Amino acid sequence: RDGALVPCQPGQLAATAQPAQAIRGSVGMTRDVAEARNTFVFTVNLHGSSVELLSTTEENLVGRYSYGGYVANGVGRLLHLLSLRNMKATFFVPGLEAERSKALVREIHDEGHEIAANGYHFEDHSVENLDEETLLRKTHDILGEITGVTALGWRAPKGTLKKATLRHLQQLGYLYDSSFQDDDFPYLLDDDGGAGMIELPQHQMLIDQTFSAAICITWSSSFFCPSRSGVRLAASYRDIALYIG
C-alpha cells in the first residue's frame, strides 16, 4: 500500500467479491491487496522426479536414491525463507508429482501456502485428441484429497492450451489461469470460455529457469491466445515464478 509492494497468492488476488473490478469470486480479497498500488505474487513450479519420468523408467531414474532428499530439502529451505519474510506463495504441482510426494504437498499446504494445479504429467493441452477433461479432473481430485481444499488455480504444463481448456477449468470451479506471458497485468477470460476467471500472466524474465537453461520457444498460429480483455487490477503487477526440481 502507499507505493509499497504487497505480496499475495494468485488465488487471493483472483478472488474478490467486487464485479465492478472485473473479477468475480466467492472469497473476498483482503483490503491491503484490494487497495495496493503494487501487487506481486510468488509462484513455484514443483517439478521433481515426474520430470525425469518423461524420458526414462522408474528403475532408471538418475535421482532414484536422492529425490526424497534434495526436492524436500529445497522446498524446506524455501518454506523457511518465506516464513522469515512472512510471505505466502502458490505452488503449482503436477498431479503425478503430488501422488509421489503427498507428505511434501501436505506440508506446503499446512504452512499456509496455496496448492494449484499444473496438469497431470506435462501433457500438451493444445493437442485436440488429449482426454483433457479426464486429466484435469484427475489432478483436481488428487490435490483436493491431499490438501482437503479445492484448487483454485491452474498453469498449463507446457504453456499452451485450447479454448475448451478454460471452459473445462471453469466447470471444475477454477478462478484463475496462470499460463500465458502476453500481458503485464491480469485480465478477464470471460470472452475466452472461462466465465468468471482471470488470467494472471507470468513474466519470462522473472522465472529462474530463464537464467539456468537455454530456452527455445517456437510460436504457432494454432496456439490458443486469449483476448486480453478486462480491467487492470493494480498500478503494478509482477509474478515471480520459481522452478523446484
Side-chain angles (χ1 to χ4, degrees):
R1 298 181 62 183
D2 301 323
L5 288 173
V6 175
C8 69
Q9 296 171 304
Q12 184 183 28
L13 180 62
T16 174
Q18 312 250 351
Q21 290 183 291
I23 310 286
R24 293 192 297 276
S26 59
V27 183
M29 195 192 315
T30 64
R31 182 176 179 181
D32 280 349
V33 173
E35 297 180 356
R37 293 184 180 180
N38 303 287
T39 303
F40 76 91
V41 293
F42 190 95
T43 66
V44 180
N45 293 331
L46 188 65
H47 297 164
S49 58
S50 58
V51 177
E52 195 179 348
L53 283 170
L54 289 171
S55 58
T56 189
T57 58
E58 185 79 35
E59 61 272 15
N60 291 320
L61 285 172
V62 173
R64 60 188 178 279
Y65 300 118
S66 59
Y67 277 124
Y70 71 71
V71 173
N73 290 340
V75 170
R77 295 188 187 104
L78 180 58
L79 292 177
H80 177 64
L81 176 62
L82 292 170
S83 176
L84 289 177
R85 297 298 179 182
N86 194 29
M87 292 173 56
K88 299 301 180 185
T90 290
F91 288 72
F92 287 91
V93 187
L96 179 61
E97 194 71 48
E99 287 180 319
R100 296 173 63 85
S101 307
K102 292 182 180 180
L104 182 60
V105 172
R106 191 174 294 113
E107 178 186 358
I108 295 169
H109 168 74
D110 290 345
E111 289 284 333
H113 303 285
E114 181 184 20
I115 300 296
N118 189 208
Y120 180 72
H121 192 204
F122 304 102
E123 50 279 336
D124 185 351
H125 282 264
S126 68
V127 176
E128 290 298 333
N129 62 358
L130 181 73
D131 189 3
E132 182 173 74
E133 290 184 84
T134 298
L135 287 171
L136 291 175
R137 167 61 71 179
K138 184 175 184 177
T139 296
H140 190 69
D141 290 344
I142 290 169
L143 297 180
E145 180 180 348
I146 293 173
T147 65
V149 299
T150 300
L152 300 178
W154 187 80
R155 177 170 285 169
K158 294 184 179 295
T160 56
L161 49 94
K162 50 186 176 289
K163 194 166 185 175
T165 307
L166 293 175
R167 184 179 72 252
H168 296 153
L169 290 169
Q170 188 271 339
Q171 291 171 348
L172 285 171
Y174 285 88
L175 294 181
Y176 71 92
D177 173 68
S178 184
S179 302
F180 294 105
Q181 302 175 21
D182 56 349
D183 207 323
D184 293 334
F185 291 86
Y187 54 86
L188 286 170
L189 291 171
D190 292 65
D191 295 336
D192 304 300
M197 294 179 63
I198 63 169
E199 179 68 30
L200 298 178
Q202 305 178 62
H203 298 277
Q204 186 67 46
M205 295 310 295
L206 295 178
I207 298 176
D208 71 322
Q209 187 185 46
T210 302
F211 304 101
S212 63
I215 297 178
C216 177
I217 302 176
T218 302
W219 296 102
S220 169
S221 59
S222 64
F223 290 167
F224 165 65
C225 183
S227 60
R228 295 193 293 172
S229 62
V231 181
R232 293 182 174 184
L233 297 183
S236 176
Y237 163 86
R238 292 293 181 269
D239 171 86
I240 302 174
L242 179 68
Y243 284 75
I244 292 287

